[in-house]
Amino acid sequence: MDATSDLRGRTALVTGANAGIGYWCVEQLAARGARVVLGCRSPERARTAVSAIRTQVPAADLRVLPLDLGSLESVAAAAVDLDERVDAVICNAGVKAADRGARTGDDFDLMMGTNFLGHFALVAQVESLLAPDARVVAVGSIAHRFAHLDPAGIDAEWRGSSLRQYGRSKAALMTFAFELARRWSRSSRMAVCAHPGYAVDPLTPRRPGLAQVPGLVRALAAPSRILVQGKDGGALPIVHAATAAEVFSGDYWGPGGPLEFRGAPARVVASDGVRSSSAGEALWSAAESLTGVPFPS
Ligand SMILES: NC(=O)c1ccc[n+]([C@@H]2O[C@H](COP(=O)([O-])OP(=O)(O)OC[C@H]3O[C@@H](n4cnc5c(N)ncnc54)[C@H](OP(=O)(O)O)[C@@H]3O)[C@@H](O)[C@H]2O)c1
């Protein structure tokens, strides 16, 4: 499959599919004929996204799956509800900023709990539904490079900036994906990381009901297109990682332009920290123990 190939007969689950990059992953996959399951915590926002996609792809094959990654109970229920073969899971949903001390309903740090632990529990619990050649795509971030991740302390209270903790949560998700790639090395399944670069709403094409950006703000933001991109562009490396034939398990994809902020999908470099097998093993054990969800592989 190349990045424009026909995806009829393939099913992708996209988390955080009702807004931003997740929305654009769904639109791009649906336009190529894939069936897409939208994992969303708000039924209303999910309905708005489905209507918006149908304005572009009237025959889109879409299903909404209620999913709150901040709740292990919701994740477990979603895994039971899903009950169909899945060819790709795109772990996209993410919280980018939180007040210090913000916690999920399960009392995990909000960013670590949503961005990493929720996805760990989801992938573990849908594993039996994954096709023999399925791909798991972890949506990482350039911010992982500035993060120091201590697997033993992933739920520890953090000091310092919200951005650093965000970077840690993204580093955790990426470390998990690279560990999954190692654990799947003798199977035809793939685990891959991808990041969207720097993707902003004012440069994103309008869709009904989605991020409403005033025309003046769009006009003022237009010159920044030289450096950054819309969320439609941000979705490209992620969809590429989920579908393209040139992708291998353990790869990391992002925009190939300056600073990896924008541009066509290209293989990019992840930090040694997130590729470390000892960090991967320690993080895996910590995630199993914190979530109480054993990973079947
Ligand atoms: N934009 C960038 O430049 C950039 C750069 C690097 C990485 N990323 C990553 O790309 C991903 C998407 O970013 P974005 O810019 O598209 O963000 P966004 O516009 O804020 O969208 C985030 C999505 O995640 C969902 N979400 C948040 N918490 C959730 C939960 N507990 N359960 C289920 N869904 C939840 C949101 O749903 P609600 O509508 O219900 O809140 C929304 O659909 C994130 O993982 C982010 O870390 C983005």
Side-chain angles (χ1 to χ4, degrees):
M1 271 182 293
D2 65 29
T4 54
S5 61
D6 190 332
L7 296 175
R8 273 176 293 184
R10 312 288 284 178
T11 299
L13 165 62
V14 179
T15 71
N18 60 282
I21 292 157
Y23 169 87
W24 285 95
C25 288
V26 180
E27 192 182 299
Q28 290 166 17
L29 290 164
R32 290 165 57 191
R35 172 172 168 76
V36 191
V37 181
L38 292 81
C40 303
R41 61 179 164 174
S42 155
E44 196 189 335
R45 290 194 288 277
R47 269 195 300 275
T48 303
V50 166
S51 305
I53 289 159
R54 292 209 192 287
T55 65
Q56 309 300 313
V57 189
D61 182 2
L62 306 174
R63 171 184 168 192
V64 172
L65 180 73
L67 171 66
D68 181 350
L69 286 153
S71 157
L72 290 175
E73 194 183 340
S74 167
V75 172
V80 172
D81 282 2
L82 183 58
D83 197 27
E84 63 175 296
R85 193 207 70 237
V86 174
D87 299 289
V89 179
I90 298 183
C91 300
N92 162 78
V95 179
K96 279 180 283 192
D99 294 334
R100 188 170 308 151
R103 312 287 288 175
T104 68
D106 298 310
D107 200 26
F108 298 134
D109 168 77
L110 185 65
M111 287 192 277
M112 197 58 86
T114 308
N115 301 358
F116 167 52
L117 292 170
H119 282 121
F120 176 88
L122 178 69
V123 177
Q125 290 174 102
V126 301
E127 200 262 1
S128 62
L129 301 173
L130 297 182
D133 61 349
R135 299 184 187 184
V136 169
V137 179
V139 177
S141 168
I142 294 168
H144 87 273
R145 297 211 190 108
F146 313 107
H148 172 72
L149 182 67
D150 170 13
I154 51 171
D155 193 40
E157 201 176 317
W158 48 277
R159 299 182 202 293
S161 74
S162 177
L163 183 61
R164 266 187 200 282
Q165 180 63 1
Y166 168 72
R168 255 182 235 128
S169 72
K170 287 281 138 182
L173 183 64
M174 293 174 67
T175 303
F176 159 57
F178 289 132
E179 178 63 18
L180 187 57
R182 284 187 288 273
R183 291 184 187 214
W184 278 351
S185 61
R186 273 176 291 181
S187 95
S188 44
R189 289 181 179 157
M190 293 190 201
V192 181
C193 290
H195 81 85
Y198 199 140
V200 299
D201 287 321
L203 297 180
T204 305
R206 294 175 201 271
R207 290 292 181 265
L210 299 193
Q212 301 300 308
V213 180
L216 178 63
V217 176
R218 284 181 179 276
L220 290 172
S224 66
R225 195 175 280 285
I226 196 164
L227 193 60
V228 302
Q229 60 185 350
K231 296 205 175 181
D232 52 328
L236 293 175
I238 297 158
V239 171
H240 190 85
T243 61
E246 62 177 334
V247 172
F248 296 104
S249 197
D251 273 1
Y252 181 37
W253 287 79
L259 303 172
E260 296 174 21
F261 280 4
R262 55 162 294 151
R267 265 192 201 86
V268 292
V269 176
S271 71
D272 292 345
V274 296
R275 286 199 175 275
S276 151
S277 57
S278 56
E281 281 170 27
L283 184 80
W284 193 284
S285 304
E288 285 188 326
S289 137
L290 282 166
T291 60
V293 177
F295 204 105
S297 305

